[in-house]
Structures are given as C-alpha cells and as structure tokens.
Amino acid sequence: LDAAKNDEGYGDAILRFIGASLIAKDKDNNYVPWLAKSWESSADGLTWTFQLREDVKFHDGTSLTAGDFVYTYQRVLDPNTMAGMAGQMLSLIDSVSAPDDYTLVLTLREPSFYVLDTLTSVGFTQPTLQSWVEKEGENYGHNPISVGPYKVKEWVTGDHVTLEANPDYHWAPAYAHQGPPYIQELVFRFIPEIATIVAGLETGEIDYVHVIDSHYLARLEATGTIEIHKIPNGTMIVDINNSAWPFDEVKVRQAFNYATDRESALAIGAAGLGTVISGPLAPGISGYDPAVEDSGYNLDLDKAKSLMAEAGWSEGADGILIKDGQRLEFDLFCLESEARLAQVLVEQWKELGAAVNISQVDQGLIYDKMISGDYVSAISGYNWGNAEVLNLVYGAPPDGFSLIAHISDPELNDLFVKMSTEMDPDKQQEFVTAAQLRMIEQANIISIYSSHGVQPISKRVKGFYHSDVNLNDYFEDVYISEGEQ
C-alpha cells in the first residue's frame, strides 16, 4: 500500500480510502477542488499552480503543506524508488516546487491533455509524509498514512486489511458531506475463491464486491438482500509478451487474433453480458472510436493458419505447430474468476495448433510476472475512464519496452505522445484513434470483449453511487441503515 509503488487495482481500491488527491471528479465528471482549493495553468499549458487548503492534516496530526507534494512527487520520479503506475502517470512532470507552504507549482515537460485526470488519481498521487516514510522504512507499504477519510488499523497478510475512520477528516469534496465517514470501520478481505465470495454475499458476511462473475447474477438477485448494479467494466483482453517467443513475430500475434472467436468467449466468459471488441478500448471509455472495429479481427481460422505458415510454423505429428524444433506450447495466466474464459480460449487456439496450458494464480503474481517479462500470455484488462490508459500501460521509454506487453514500437509511442500533448479535442481524438488502429494492425494484444460487470452491494448499505460516466464508485456518503441486515 505504498502509492508510489502500487501497480494494481486492488491496491488502488484500498489506497483511495487512505488518501486524497489535489482535485476530484464529481458524479457528472466535472473537476472540483479537494486538497487544492483552486488552480490555474499558464497559457502554454506547461505550468500549473495549485493553492492548497490550509486545514488538512496527515493521520499523525502533521499539517499538509505544498512541501509534502514536492517530496511525494520527487520520490515517485526518483529512479531508485522504482515506482509503479504512479511513475508512469507522473512522468509528465519536469519539476515540482513550493514557493510557500500552500502554493504548489508543477512544471510539465510538454502540455498534457490528461494532466487534471492524472491528479484525480487518489491511489497513485496521494501525498505522503517524509518523516513517516523514513520512520517506517521497508515496512511503510504495510503501514502507510496520508490525509484521507480512513487510516490503517490492522493488516493480516493474506487475510484482510482493516481501516478505521479518521475522526479529524473534514475536507471532503463539496459534493460529499463535510465530516468524518459515517461508517467507522471497513474490512477488505482477500478471498481468492469465487464460491466463498458469493456465499459471503448471500449470508450477509460481505457487503460489497466491486465486480463479480456475471454467471452469478441470477443467484445473487434471488437473495432479495442484494442490490445489483450492472456497470461498464472496461476491457477484457489477453496481454501477450511482444518481446518474447512466440509473440515477437507480428504474424503470430495476428494469427491468434484471427483464431479467437470473441462471440463465444463473451457468451461463456461473461454470460453474454457485454460487447465484443477488436480494439484496445471499450465503449464508454473516453476516446473510444467505434470505427476502429471495422479494422479489427473477425474469426477466420483459415487466415490464422495461413499466417502461421508464413511465419514458418508447420504441423507436427500430434497436430501442434512446430518451428525450429520447438512446439507451440505456452502458459496462459488467469484468475479463478477468468477460468471459464481461459478454457474457451485454449480450445479455440487448439484449432490453430497451439497447446496452451492454463495457469491459475493470484493477481499479484500475475502482475509481477507481466512486469518482469516472465510470461507469454495472461488474461488481463483495465477499467479506466479515458484513453490515457493506453499510454500508461503500453507506452514505452525510447530505449525500453512497455510496462505490461513489452512493446517496443516508435510509431505507436509517437502517437501516444501526440494524443497526450495535443490540447485541441478534435485533433487529440484523431491521434487516439490512430493509436488504436496501430495497436490493431500490430496485434499487440488480443482484445476480446467489454463486459457489463455485476456489482453487488447489500441493501443495508445506503448512499452508494456508481458513475457510468467516469466509472468511479462514490463512498463518501455511505452509511449502514438501521434495522436492515
């Protein structure tokens, strides 16, 4: 739970209760003050000045100042920190300074279309306190503090994290009530088995799950005690290692895309709740262009086999393709909740001549392997409000590879830079569309579908709001209804 080193959505889900961000997005997707009460940009878009609130305190009672943001952002940008997603998100910052205790100045390397969106990301850009980080040392990630509505009370590794309400919290965004949280304690449980999660929802032991397998929709609706939200749930894809065998050849990547029956995958993997896609963005994500689907991949097994033959693969005695004496056999990493989808894909790719083994592991291990490059394929996806996610996940430094799919493509990176720095909305969309088309052409990933996630929450929990506009969950005004179990 060190925001600087966090790489995954599960960490973000907890950190957003522990911290706060300079600005927030309200339920209609407008930028509103939070830790910063106002802000302005220079005419060239390179200098952003924020005036901070003067009444915000860290969990240990220390007052928040602009200097804390200077420390936080410089720590993230320090290569020795080995920052995760935060490092990607804040890489646009050239320098950060504090002219006085409540004035923060960010100087960007170049204009950024997404700078304000970035600064709403609580789980990655929340302020940290230097004295606390230094005091905790290597333990900081298990005992963080920030300035949010909750603070860490207990962490039992592999079982749960318990947060307790911050009684001093009174600086929520204007759309929420001004004061400490109504709910005094939140328990985040780590439960790998879906059956256990569903049973917990049915018995009332679990109040909320961000998203759950859509196959359990009817069963959960039958309880009568659970409210179901059907939400856009981002993009379901298979990430493939573009720099490693066998996907370091574009024809192989294209072949697997042609060999994927997305309609069947959606029907079995998500009970048909969703939309098949060929591009890297899902409908509903800002920047998605439906026209890219015309350039995508439809099921064409003959085309897929032809591409594999062109790439030098031939059928072995057991029907599995061989090249240079090596069988086309590799692992597909997935979570338990993705097992149905994995099984469908394995059977489809077997028709192509691939022997794919399902390796069911936990989320943390998958991300570790993907980031290190120690993988061939993994079911993955992202739930993000805008097209910046493409640059964050698939953009690469000039002399390296992208964070997840290990892509090295100067043309794609150039499009990412242009879509991030072009401030005219119409021109910016042209670059976003071009980036999507480039990823389809190069088959950098295997996009499958955009699912409609099933989000269950107990009817005794009131005041919760999910925004389909920006995909955010709003917990600020949540409370437990007396008398309802």
Side-chain angles (χ1 to χ4, degrees), residues 239-245 330-333 359 361 364-378 402-406:
D239 269 314
I240 49 181
N241 190 335
N242 284 232
S243 67
W245 174 97
F330 57 87
D331 289 340
L332 173 65
F333 291 118
S359 181
V361 294
L365 181 58
I366 289 178
Y367 274 117
D368 286 346
K369 286 185 171 293
M370 292 172 75
I371 291 169
S372 68
D374 183 23
Y375 86 109
V376 173
S377 67
S402 65
L403 182 68
I404 295 296
H406 298 270

Side-chain angles (χ1 to χ4, degrees), residues 185-232:
E185 190 171 88
L186 301 178
V187 181
F188 292 84
R189 296 174 59 188
F190 310 140
I191 306 174
E193 301 84 11
I194 297 177
T196 306
I197 296 173
V198 173
L201 285 164
E202 290 175 321
T203 62
E205 294 178 25
I206 297 173
D207 291 300
Y208 165 83
V209 180
H210 173 65
V211 66
I212 201 166
D213 192 323
S214 50
H215 291 85
Y216 292 97
L217 174 61
R219 179 173 164 182
L220 292 175
E221 286 180 328
T223 64
T225 61
I226 298 171
E227 184 177 346
I228 301 293
H229 300 271
K230 297 176 184 176
I231 63 172

Side-chain angles (χ1 to χ4, degrees), residues 242-243 394 396-402 405-413 444:
N242 284 232
S243 67
Y394 300 116
D399 57 348
F401 297 96
S402 65
H406 298 270
I407 302 166
S408 180
D409 182 351
E411 182 175 333
L412 181 62
N413 281 333
N444 298 126

Side-chain angles (χ1 to χ4, degrees), residues 302-365:
D302 290 338
K303 176 70 172 176
K305 290 181 176 180
S306 176
L307 284 166
M308 293 301 290
E310 291 175 22
W313 293 85
S314 58
E315 187 173 316
D318 59 356
I320 302 303
L321 295 177
I322 298 175
K323 180 180 179 181
D324 299 330
Q326 188 169 5
R327 298 173 81 246
L328 185 56
E329 183 174 2
F330 57 87
D331 289 340
L332 173 65
F333 291 118
C334 72
L335 304 177
E336 184 201 9
S337 60
E338 299 157 347
R340 287 188 183 90
L341 174 58
Q343 291 164 2
V344 172
L345 296 174
V346 166
E347 289 302 312
Q348 292 178 6
W349 296 340
K350 185 177 181 181
E351 295 296 313
L352 177 63
V356 182
N357 307 306
I358 297 174
S359 181
Q360 190 173 299
V361 294
D362 66 68
Q363 186 78 66
L365 181 58

